[in-house]
Amino acid sequence: MNKNKLSLALFSMFSAAAMSAPLDVIETQFDNTRVFFADGDVIYGHAAEKNKKNGSYFTFSFDSNELILGEKKMSLVGEKFIEKDKNTDDKFNKKVLSYFSQRYGIKYADGAAGDVYVFLDYSCPFSRKFVESGELNSLSKQGKNVWVMPISRLGSVEGISNYSALTCMMANDEQKLERFLDWMEVGSATVSRSELQLSKCYYWLDLKPYYGIMEKLKLNGVPSVVEVK
């Protein structure tokens, strides 16, 4: 066997062994396991927790070493999946979203029944439909503390620049909200050239982590509603 074939064989053996480890644990720890798809990145399937009649779809990520079974998140520790502490995610969400809401958000309504962060983009027809159908008002009527979080779904230069002008304009939340909702209504933004030259605008300081929050929270796009109690 030549060196290339030997390397390929060893790599295949290693990949198969690496994949079988979490699969073995899943099949041992859960009942009625069915695997629909598996490669070097993810495993998709369906399984039920021990002593539970109904099962759920699951995804295991080799990259994050995380199993998501229904609404539960678990990490592979040794030869067992351990459920992650939900309070840890809640604390992270509460702290980080509170910070970004102060920097990038616009207060829509005050309430005491939990904080709600609504990610919207004026260029997104689904976001516009969300607002037009009264979903923001519905959250407000539930007594929620509602923050609107404008964000460019495509991460375009135009969208980000327009939102920087909105964020850093010399106005209160009520005036910013009115302007943003106007943009939402027509599906486009009206921004003067002078507003796009705000070199000292703080919008750009935490831009990368702000846009990264969508991935961190596993949000698929806009509109997205994140509730933190």
Side-chain angles (χ1 to χ4, degrees):
M1 181 180 293
N2 63 38
K3 185 180 294 184
N4 289 338
K5 289 184 177 180
L6 177 61
S7 298
L8 181 60
L10 290 174
F11 176 78
S12 299
M13 290 172 63
F14 175 79
S15 298
M19 190 182 302
S20 67
L23 269 175
D24 290 343
V25 177
I26 291 172
E27 292 175 347
T28 300
Q29 187 169 338
F30 304 102
D31 289 335
N32 302 321
T33 302
R34 289 179 293 164
V35 175
F36 306 131
F37 175 80
D39 62 12
D41 296 317
V42 294
I43 301 173
Y44 297 119
H46 190 278
E49 294 185 72
K50 295 288 185 181
N51 302 318
K52 288 194 176 181
K53 183 177 180 180
N54 297 322
S56 301
Y57 290 98
F58 70 80
T59 303
F60 174 77
S61 168
F62 286 89
D63 184 48
S64 64
N65 196 45
E66 182 180 73
L67 175 75
I68 300 177
L69 176 66
E71 296 182 355
K72 289 189 175 182
K73 295 180 180 179
M74 308 178 192
S75 295
L76 181 59
V77 181
E79 297 182 354
K80 187 176 182 180
F81 283 103
I82 305 296
E83 187 172 1
K84 297 177 70 175
D85 184 1
K86 293 181 179 179
N87 291 329
T88 300
D89 286 340
D90 289 342
K91 289 176 182 177
F92 172 85
N93 292 349
K94 188 169 186 177
K95 185 174 182 179
V96 172
L97 287 172
S98 176
Y99 170 80
F100 283 131
S101 67
Q102 297 294 329
R103 183 173 286 267
Y104 298 113
I106 306 172
K107 175 60 75 69
Y108 182 84
D110 290 309
D115 297 319
V116 176
Y117 304 89
V118 185
F119 292 85
L120 298 167
D121 182 12
Y122 66 80
S123 71
C124 171
F126 300 106
S127 289
R128 295 199 296 276
K129 185 66 176 179
F130 182 92
V131 175
E132 290 170 2
S133 61
E135 293 301 323
L136 285 175
N137 287 331
S138 178
L139 291 170
S140 176
K141 289 178 180 178
Q142 294 173 33
K144 308 292 186 182
N145 191 45
V146 184
W147 286 89
V148 168
M149 307 291 286
I151 193 166
S152 173
R153 62 194 172 107
L154 302 176
S156 66
V157 174
E158 180 182 3
I160 292 174
S161 297
N162 289 338
Y163 284 136
S164 74
L166 175 70
T167 301
C168 293
M169 66 183 287
M170 299 299 292
N172 57 34
D173 268 3
E174 185 177 347
Q175 293 168 321
K176 290 180 180 180
L177 180 63
E178 181 180 2
R179 188 179 190 186
F180 176 66
L181 292 179
D182 285 342
W183 293 359
M184 291 291 295
E185 185 175 356
V186 299
S188 61
T190 302
V191 177
S192 67
R193 181 173 297 180
S194 62
E195 290 181 286
L196 298 176
Q197 298 174 356
L198 297 172
S199 59
K200 295 182 179 181
C201 177
Y202 63 84
Y203 184 86
W204 304 93
L205 297 180
D206 290 319
L207 192 63
K208 187 173 181 178
Y210 175 56
Y211 275 77
I213 198 69
M214 298 286 288
E215 180 178 357
K216 174 66 178 178
L217 296 176
K218 295 182 171 60
L219 304 179
N220 294 322
V222 291
S224 285
V225 179
V226 180
E227 184 172 356
V228 179
K229 297 182 179 180

